[in-house]
Amino acid sequence: MSSTIQTKVPLNSDKWTVQKKIKLKEKTSSRGITLWDIAFFLLLAAGAAYLLMYWPDSMNIYEKWILVGMVIVLSALGWYWPAIRKVALISGSMALLAIGMYDGNIANGDQKFWLKYLLSSQSSILWMSAMFIIATVSYWLGYFVERLSWMGSLFTWLGIGLGFSGLLVRWREGHLIAYELGHIPVSNLYEVFILFALITTLFYLFYERRYQTRSLGGFVMLVVSAAVIFLLWYTFERDAAVIRPLNNALDSWWMKLHVPANFVGYGTFALAAMVGFAYIVKHHENTTSWKSLLPVLIVGAMLVAEVFIFGNRGKISIFWLVYFAISLVLVAGILMIRKRLARKLPSFEVLDDIMYKSIAVGFVFFTIATVLGAFWAADAWGTYWQWDPKETWALVVWLNYATWLHLRFIKGMRGLVAAYWALIGLVITTFAFIGVNIFLSGLHSYGQL
């Protein structure tokens, strides 16, 4: 006999009904293959064929299969979500234009206007960062002036297009500097923070479209903006944008599979946490006592306090101290206007559904990434598992979300407990992502600050 761990709440039908959910599923499942789907597949296949014909010696057999697999995966994603086709075509076109303007000479990046100010990798990433910050502000303005909420979606899409273009161009720039420097740009903190921001925003936009609501954009984009702030600090404070050679362990085709899968997990876990935050805000719509809000303030403080790990040898940076103070003020401000926000947010049913699906998707990909990481470790170091700090904390993250899903399936966990757990899960995940590299040196300490 099982009990249910949940918070009993009335369902809000604002912009969401069971009938609409069924219609959306039927629309997706009944969609046939169009000429645009075929054209997109042929374009990707032609690009892959070109690479295999003219640069066969630059890839081993595994990398060639990964390339072919990406054609299939992107084609399937483009069929399921047509917006992916648009962003892929825009990002790819911008990257090809930039590569053509380089004309085989990396020095052109400082000499040609469009490369220097828009199309080079660093310029594109800086523009991506600006778009995500503007998108965050736009989404929050949308809570007060609803007709402005579309701007949040627009700027988020612009940031995604610029971000993916920047990563593709960075891949080519490494080869232009020196052939041995060329590698997929997912090898250090600078590159994976870009990947994290892109994956988190992509998954959010998918749910935005699927549930026909932009009211979660302000919450989700807060964590993306936090990543962008770190990225900008890391770029200018530590000169992180410089392309550096890979060490022997990272110079492997396994990286092309392990790291993206890992960051699908990180991105969706972050998304679930911010949806959980929105759930908590909505739950406390009519709460008058600040004592009842103390738990969310404590969890918020725990989350933003992790920025102190970016200090130098234990010293607290003034920059991150200011960031911490502003973050706490923002959390408190959100709680102060919780009544207005609660009216704009989707129903508890929708929030719970997005939270669950995000964690479920993230858990699957994180599990795949962990298994791939074990194979990679065996290939690089001769053993699948060594209880390295990064491996140990990856297991902690996996167990955390495995328990969350287990309690949902077995005990029917819902509501406030699930929301707080998702938010605390982001604290654990953030430490596993960054903190371990700084405090617990080991075989995986590639992202030193």
Side-chain angles (χ1 to χ4, degrees):
M1 183 176 180
S2 63
S3 59
T4 301
I5 306 172
Q6 62 179 354
T7 303
K8 297 289 187 181
V9 291
L11 295 182
N12 179 351
S13 60
D14 179 33
K15 295 187 179 181
W16 178 260
T17 62
V18 174
Q19 289 77 16
K20 182 178 284 189
K21 186 176 180 181
I22 293 172
K23 286 180 181 179
L24 282 170
K25 288 185 176 180
E26 288 177 347
K27 184 177 179 181
T28 301
S29 61
S30 63
R31 182 177 180 271
I33 296 176
T34 67
L35 289 175
W36 287 111
D37 296 318
I38 296 171
F40 184 60
F41 169 76
L42 292 176
L43 183 63
L44 292 175
Y50 179 83
L51 292 173
L52 291 171
M53 287 176 62
Y54 288 93
W55 282 285
D57 297 333
S58 299
M59 297 175 281
N60 61 32
I61 186 63
Y62 303 106
E63 290 167 325
K64 291 175 182 177
W65 279 110
I66 291 172
L67 178 63
V68 172
M70 284 304 300
V71 171
I72 298 171
V73 169
L74 283 176
S75 298
L77 286 174
W79 170 82
Y80 185 72
W81 186 18
I84 289 291
R85 291 203 305 256
K86 297 176 184 177
V87 75
L89 291 172
I90 291 171
S91 299
S93 298
M94 290 178 63
L96 288 173
L97 179 60
I99 291 169
M101 293 181 70
Y102 269 117
D103 194 25
N105 184 4
I106 191 66
N108 285 333
D110 292 324
Q111 297 170 2
K112 294 189 176 181
F113 177 86
W114 289 108
L115 280 176
K116 185 174 183 179
Y117 295 105
L118 178 62
L119 295 173
S120 69
S121 67
Q122 193 167 358
S123 295
S124 292
I125 299 307
L126 290 175
W127 278 108
M128 175 206 76
S129 302
M131 293 300 105
F132 285 158
I133 295 292
I134 296 172
T136 305
V137 174
S138 299
Y139 275 122
W140 280 99
L141 287 176
Y143 292 123
F144 301 93
V145 185
E146 191 169 352
R147 65 176 179 272
L148 297 179
S149 61
W150 65 270
M151 295 173 61
S153 301
L154 174 63
F155 285 114
T156 303
W157 276 117
L158 288 174
I160 288 172
L162 287 161
F164 277 114
S165 174
L167 286 180
L168 290 170
V169 174
R170 183 177 174 86
W171 199 341
R172 177 58 178 160
E173 286 172 347
H175 287 90
L176 292 179
I177 296 170
Y179 185 79
E180 61 275 11
L181 281 182
H183 58 266
I184 184 172
V186 292
S187 64
N188 56 43
L189 278 180
Y190 173 81
E191 294 165 349
V192 297
F193 256 92
I194 299 167
L195 187 64
F196 168 80
L198 293 172
I199 288 175
T200 306
T201 49
L202 262 180
F203 271 93
Y204 163 70
L205 287 171
F206 173 78
Y207 288 122
E208 178 181 278
R209 178 196 69 92
R210 189 163 186 81
Y211 292 89
Q212 300 295 297
T213 177
R214 293 190 176 99
S215 59
L216 288 171
F219 287 87
V220 176
M221 291 305 292
L222 284 177
V223 75
V224 175
S225 293
V228 164
I229 290 169
F230 169 82
L231 188 66
L232 295 175
W233 171 82
Y234 197 37
T235 300
F236 295 109
E237 181 73 14
R238 303 297 170 86
D239 204 20
V242 174
I243 299 174
R244 295 182 173 87
L246 294 175
N247 64 33
N248 291 333
L250 285 175
D251 191 9
S252 169
W253 63 272
W254 286 104
M255 185 169 67
K256 296 178 174 66
L257 298 174
H258 170 74
V259 176
N262 217 30
F263 278 86
V264 171
Y266 285 148
T268 50
F269 294 155
L271 171 58
M274 300 316 291
V275 174
F277 183 29
Y279 191 107
I280 294 166
V281 169
K282 187 175 180 70
H283 176 85
H284 289 292
E285 176 183 3
N286 298 313
T287 299
T288 56
S289 171
W290 275 90
K291 288 183 179 179
S292 301
L293 299 171
L294 193 58
V296 69
L297 282 171
I298 293 173
V299 175
M302 288 170 58
L303 187 58
V304 297
E306 288 191 310
V307 300
F308 292 136
I309 65 179
F310 304 144
N312 185 18
R313 296 182 181 178
K315 296 179 182 179
I316 297 177
S317 164
I318 297 299
F319 177 88
W320 291 113
L321 185 62
V322 172
Y323 171 88
F324 174 72
I326 293 174
S327 299
L328 285 183
V329 171
L330 284 175
V331 172
I334 290 170
L335 294 177
M336 289 177 67
I337 60 171
R338 60 189 179 279
K339 189 177 289 290
R340 172 186 284 272
L341 295 176
R343 291 196 295 266
K344 299 287 185 179
L345 290 170
S347 68
F348 288 106
E349 177 195 27
V350 172
L351 294 171
D352 184 77
D353 199 43
I354 296 175
M355 193 162 45
Y356 157 64
K357 288 179 178 175
S358 298
I359 288 178
V361 170
F363 182 75
V364 169
F365 276 90
F366 195 78
T367 301
I368 293 171
T370 303
V371 173
L372 291 173
F375 284 121
W376 186 4
D379 187 43
W381 301 312
T383 181
Y384 292 99
W385 194 270
Q386 301 186 73
W387 294 104
D388 178 76
K390 195 75 168 183
E391 295 172 347
T392 303
W393 274 91
L395 179 61
V396 171
V397 172
W398 188 89
L399 289 172
N400 173 67
Y401 290 107
T403 306
W404 193 99
L405 291 168
H406 174 78
L407 288 176
R408 183 181 179 92
F409 292 145
I410 304 302
K411 297 292 185 180
M413 184 178 71
R414 300 287 193 280
L416 202 60
V417 173
Y420 268 113
W421 195 328
L423 193 55
I424 293 172
L426 183 58
V427 178
I428 298 170
T429 303
T430 303
F431 185 80
F433 175 21
I434 309 174
V436 170
N437 288 34
I438 299 164
F439 291 121
L440 306 171
S441 61
L443 294 170
H444 291 77
S445 298
Y446 306 128
Q448 296 291 346
L449 291 173

